[in-house]
Amino acid sequence: MLLFTLAARPALAGLSAAEALALVKVVDERQRNSGDWKGQFFLHQQEKGKNDLVYDGVYFRRDADDRLMIVFVQPRSERGKGYLRISKNLWFYDARIGKWERRTERERIGGTDSNRQDFDESRLAEEYLARHSGDATLGRYRAYVLELRARPGVDVAYPTLKLWIDQDSRNVLKRQEFAASGKLLRTSYYPHWVKVQSPSKGGEVWYPRELRIFDELEPANRTTMVVREVDLRPLPANIFTKAWLEAQSR
Amino acid sequence: MRRLLLIAARNLLQHRGRTLMLGSAIALVTLLLVLLTSVSRGVQDTMLRAATTIATGHVNIAGFYKITSGQAAPVVTRYEPLVKWVRQQVPEARLVVDRLRGWGKLISPTASVQVGVRGVDIDAEPELARVLSIVQGDLRGLRRPHTALLFAKQAEKLAVRVGDTLTLSAPTVRGANNAVDVEVVAIARNLGLLSQFNIFAPKQTVREIYLLKRDTTGAIQLLLRDPSRAAGVAERLRAGLTRQGYRLLDAQAEPFWMKIPIVTREDWTGQKLDVTTWRDELAMLTWILTAFDTVTVVVVGILLVIIVIGVMNALWISIRERTREIGTLRAIGMGRGRVLLMFMLESGLLALGATTIGALLGVAGAQLLNAARIELSPGFAIFLMSDTLQLAVWPRAVVGAAALISGVITCFALYPAYRAARLRPVLALHDVG
């Protein structure tokens, strides 16, 4: 009902908290896939005073079980390294020394500005409460600007978010992440969204083909993440295990 | 006995050249040993002073709080009753303070550095004002929230001065990212390696970054009147805390930050305390002391062997030259024991005189080197925790060095002296040299 109201509402009218949350649910729902997920990604991190980091890799998701696996394929020195999320625990595997380490939610994936959330299922409505703070124009797009605050008792990497949501497509165009103190930490842009047909969902699944992340504390630092190909066919059952990731580097 | 001493002394004087050469060598080894032990002691003192200023007490009660089994924060909750208890249990502590501990990124407009953040109450820590050498600004600025004290090297790297604002970014205990702006209120002279990775900020600012309650701290640090008793005090506190019903981590000689991944892997939640000494917290650096001590032992050992060979050789020559004299002495009734004692006294006198001179020269040399304030290269300065070479003369070590060298030389003189005492008078008198 709320979704219907949202669709019918004139673009410039203010949204109530419930409508704002419903809009966030739409954002989540458009990206949700009820089955498995396999995507190939490319990461490029530029950091002042350091050599650029460039990675090619594959990530697998099984959202029903809260599982995520990220495996680096290139460069050669990083091949076989990866992350495995089982429930609330994120593990990192270093193939060079054959050792697993538990990492936190805020882990910078491969030392870049991307984190687990950038690869994982969008669960904004579960994790945050939303408030419509206005409308804005981003280039040729009209966008709802929503302010999201973490729900009490939910642990998230960024306690406050600001989302710019395309009023036509309901895709996220821009996202800002704030510290608990209110300081802006990271701004991400989503210039290109792609849809794929999901057999398990029986409908379309949208994903950002490109994500540009800007570090607001160190403006010279930026990360570009490109998702090259997404495959939504069922994955083998044993992928989300430590043994599987260990086997990739043997 | 007096007569024997006189003979030994006269004999040393008679062979002035040999005595001078051997005595100089012994004095040189003693001087070297005194200087090396002074350097080692100086490094230890400097390290202890820098460490207890920046990172640790002589004894610390710290620990970890785990909200979930996968998240460990280096904090002690409800610490105030614990501080009272510690004050009662350790009357030999001259100062008991609590500090917050954190790790974050310090960002300036041009650069960033990863730093340990020490949350302090500047009024409760008179030691800081005494030890830190402020090159710019005022330490009392830390009374204000959202301020920070940096060390010169950090300020240089970040290209900031007093009055500039930096951003301190760190993850909270629950894993959320947080950041606050801090004003640089003071810049202190570098204190070696530890000062490269640590800054000071007011407690309330550190609590604000990590979203900690007021009853939470990072570590209770004890400064003892006699730091050498740290291990004993730590052991006593461990036993006392266990009796009080606190859960303790197993004792491990590692700094707290090295324990974080270990504790994170362990399957427990809630609070566990940890009692450590300054040596544990600096376990990564105490290899410097071990290396110095090893070098001292090896160098002095080699030199001692050379000296011992020299002394034994000199005694052999002396015995050979004085065979007829020994024969005469034995013929007029001097017992074997007294002959042995005479030669032992000769080497003992030589060793004692030379080591005394060597030790005195060593002490003077150490004082001169300290007065010269020799600047260390940046690499050495990092590890020795000081910009200049600092030697600490420890009277017990000086006396010990002199006694050790005298003792070793005298002991090794025993065999030639014994051989001299075993000479048969008839054969000795007929010796033609």
Side-chain angles (χ1 to χ4, degrees):
Chain A
M1 184 63 187
L2 273 170
L3 294 181
F4 177 74
T5 317
L6 197 62
R9 182 178 283 273
L12 287 173
L15 302 177
S16 68
E19 286 170 328
L21 189 62
L23 182 56
V24 175
K25 280 181 181 163
V26 171
V27 169
D28 285 345
E29 180 56 28
R30 284 167 65 81
Q31 296 175 68
R32 190 184 64 81
N33 174 47
S34 46
D36 290 346
W37 181 296
K38 179 186 173 185
Q40 289 181 10
F41 68 88
F42 165 81
L43 271 176
H44 179 203
Q45 161 92 1
Q46 294 164 277
E47 204 168 328
K48 194 179 176 185
K50 291 185 183 172
N51 292 333
D52 285 11
L53 293 173
V54 181
Y55 296 109
D56 254 329
V58 188
Y59 69 109
F60 306 93
R61 267 172 32 197
R62 182 166 291 156
D63 298 333
D65 296 343
D66 238 359
R67 287 170 185 240
L68 169 73
M69 171 81 83
I70 301 169
V71 189
F72 294 113
V73 178
Q74 289 288 348
R76 210 177 168 79
S77 58
E78 301 297 307
R79 184 175 293 174
K81 286 185 182 176
Y83 294 87
L84 171 63
R85 183 174 111 116
I86 304 174
S87 190
K88 286 193 179 297
N89 297 315
L90 183 67
W91 296 87
F92 170 70
Y93 178 67
D94 189 339
R96 279 183 305 186
I97 53 172
K99 207 173 163 188
W100 286 90
E101 264 181 32
R102 200 188 318 226
R103 295 292 170 93
T104 62
E105 274 294 289
R106 59 185 179 275
E107 169 76 3
R108 290 156 53 103
I109 301 297
T112 67
D113 273 336
S114 67
N115 58 37
R116 191 268 310 159
Q117 285 178 343
D118 300 322
F119 293 85
D120 217 343
E121 185 187 19
S122 177
R123 287 175 189 163
L124 293 169
E126 275 176 44
E127 294 170 341
Y128 293 91
L129 293 169
R131 187 179 73 83
H132 180 216
S133 60
D135 296 320
T137 304
L138 283 178
R140 57 191 169 90
Y141 298 101
R142 284 293 298 162
Y144 292 112
V145 183
L146 300 188
E147 194 179 305
L148 276 64
R149 287 190 182 276
R151 289 175 183 269
V154 176
D155 292 336
V156 287
Y158 300 98
T160 308
L161 303 180
K162 221 170 179 180
L163 293 182
W164 280 254
I165 299 169
D166 185 358
Q167 289 181 353
D168 296 328
S169 69
R170 303 295 195 258
N171 284 330
V172 175
L173 298 172
K174 179 181 172 183
R175 171 174 163 148
Q176 287 191 325
E177 289 147 334
F178 295 84
S181 63
K183 202 168 177 60
L184 177 59
L185 300 175
R186 209 175 80 142
T187 299
S188 308
Y189 293 93
Y190 300 76
H192 191 189
W193 285 83
V194 177
K195 68 177 174 187
V196 282
Q197 197 64 28
S198 165
S200 57
K201 188 181 178 183
E204 294 168 345
V205 172
W206 289 79
Y207 69 90
R209 186 169 172 78
E210 191 175 337
L211 172 58
R212 292 179 192 165
I213 304 163
F214 294 86
D215 187 334
E216 295 290 352
L217 297 179
E218 292 179 88
N221 300 353
R222 62 185 62 178
T223 299
T224 304
M225 177 177 165
V226 177
V227 178
R228 284 190 176 132
E229 206 175 302
V230 166
D231 185 347
L232 303 182
R233 284 175 296 179
L235 295 165
N238 66 341
I239 278 193
F240 301 96
T241 57
K242 289 183 176 180
W244 186 86
L245 183 50
E246 286 167 14
Q248 301 311 300
S249 52
R250 281 191 204 122
Chain B
M1 180 71 177
R2 206 176 142 202
R3 201 168 301 147
L4 285 179
L5 259 173
L6 209 64
I7 296 170
R10 275 187 185 156
N11 197 43
L12 284 173
L13 285 172
Q14 208 167 22
H15 300 92
R16 231 171 263 132
R18 194 168 62 211
T19 304
L20 207 64
M21 192 189 72
L22 268 177
S24 303
I26 295 167
L28 192 71
V29 175
T30 313
L31 181 146
L32 207 61
L33 185 57
V34 168
L35 282 180
L36 286 172
T37 51
S38 299
V39 170
S40 176
R41 183 77 190 180
V43 170
Q44 185 171 326
D45 284 359
T46 314
M47 196 183 274
L48 183 60
R49 191 170 59 245
T52 50
T53 304
I54 297 173
T56 170
H58 295 134
V59 180
N60 310 288
I61 299 179
F64 295 90
Y65 191 87
K66 294 184 75 170
I67 298 166
T68 64
S69 60
Q71 285 176 306
V75 297
V76 178
T77 53
R78 291 189 284 278
Y79 75 97
E80 278 158 338
L82 200 53
V83 171
K84 276 184 194 158
W85 180 82
V86 169
R87 285 201 172 111
Q88 287 165 2
Q89 296 300 308
V90 191
E92 59 266 56
R94 62 182 164 87
L95 190 66
V96 179
V97 290
D98 74 280
R99 280 187 186 176
L100 284 127
R101 290 168 161 179
W103 182 259
K105 196 175 193 181
L106 199 58
I107 305 158
S108 78
T110 55
S112 63
V113 287
Q114 294 284 347
V115 287
V117 188
R118 309 284 166 176
V120 293
D121 173 357
I122 199 66
D123 292 323
E125 301 216 27
E127 293 279 318
L128 274 184
R130 199 172 58 79
V131 180
L132 289 179
S133 171
I134 304 296
V135 291
Q136 204 184 111
D138 187 351
L139 195 62
R140 288 170 299 183
L142 286 177
R143 285 176 181 153
R144 285 186 282 122
H146 296 164
T147 53
L149 174 143
L150 271 59
F151 288 91
K153 192 84 182 168
Q154 297 162 340
E156 187 188 322
K157 188 169 182 190
L158 294 167
V160 290
R161 298 169 55 83
V162 165
D164 290 348
T165 301
L166 298 167
T167 300
L168 182 57
S169 167
T172 68
V173 175
R174 284 190 169 272
N177 291 289
N178 205 1
V180 294
D181 286 343
V182 290
E183 180 196 339
V184 180
V185 289
I187 295 171
R189 194 183 296 279
N190 292 328
L191 277 176
L193 188 63
L194 288 176
S195 64
Q196 295 212 342
F197 301 107
N198 286 283
I199 64 162
F200 290 101
K203 276 187 196 173
Q204 62 191 96
T205 304
V206 180
R207 286 198 178 102
E208 198 182 313
I209 298 167
Y210 294 98
L211 303 179
L212 296 172
K213 292 181 186 167
R214 261 199 66 82
D215 66 351
T216 303
T217 194
I220 298 164
Q221 300 187 350
L222 288 80
L223 291 183
L224 305 176
R225 287 187 192 92
D226 179 5
S228 67
R229 297 181 64 183
V233 171
E235 203 49 50
R236 200 167 79 221
L237 283 171
R238 280 191 156 272
L241 287 167
T242 309
R243 279 197 301 275
Q244 291 287 311
Y246 287 100
R247 291 191 299 166
L248 263 70
L249 292 176
D250 294 335
Q252 266 182 311
E254 282 180 343
F256 82 95
W257 51 269
M258 282 183 74
K259 293 175 184 171
I260 294 175
I262 300 164
V263 171
T264 306
R265 280 198 294 272
E266 291 174 354
D267 194 20
W268 53 270
T269 54
Q271 178 79 62
K272 271 194 184 183
L273 296 181
D274 190 20
V275 182
T276 58
T277 64
W278 71 274
R279 274 190 177 273
D280 300 334
E281 295 292 335
L282 293 183
M284 298 286 287
L285 299 175
T286 42
W287 66 267
I288 297 167
L289 292 178
T290 313
F292 256 105
D293 291 344
T294 309
V295 168
T296 304
V297 168
V298 170
V299 170
V300 172
I302 292 168
L303 291 174
L304 256 181
V305 169
I306 295 167
I307 295 297
V308 160
I309 292 169
V311 168
M312 284 177 81
N313 200 34
L315 278 180
W316 284 124
I317 294 166
S318 174
I319 290 161
R320 185 139 186 85
E321 282 172 359
R322 292 158 63 194
T323 305
R324 293 186 72 179
E325 181 192 329
I326 294 167
T328 311
L329 289 169
R330 293 279 289 115
I332 60 172
M334 185 183 264
R336 282 180 173 162
R338 290 182 75 79
V339 173
L340 183 130
L341 191 62
M342 186 181 73
F343 280 97
M344 292 291 288
L345 279 173
E346 195 177 316
S347 59
L349 267 181
L350 174 68
L352 192 69
T355 53
T356 305
I357 292 166
L360 290 174
L361 285 174
V363 172
Q367 304 297 349
L368 274 174
L369 288 172
N370 272 344
R373 295 188 64 82
I374 296 169
E375 289 215 4
L376 294 169
S377 67
F380 273 112
I382 285 173
F383 287 108
L384 301 189
M385 297 194 182
S386 173
D387 292 344
T388 54
L389 181 67
Q390 290 183 11
L391 289 82
V393 178
W394 194 27
R396 207 191 300 176
V398 175
V399 173
L404 173 81
I405 293 172
S406 299
V408 168
I409 288 170
T410 312
C411 279
F412 277 90
L414 194 64
Y415 184 64
Y418 172 76
R419 289 292 300 269
R422 295 281 298 170
L423 283 174
R424 291 176 63 190
V426 176
L427 292 176
L429 280 168
H430 284 91
D431 186 86
V432 286

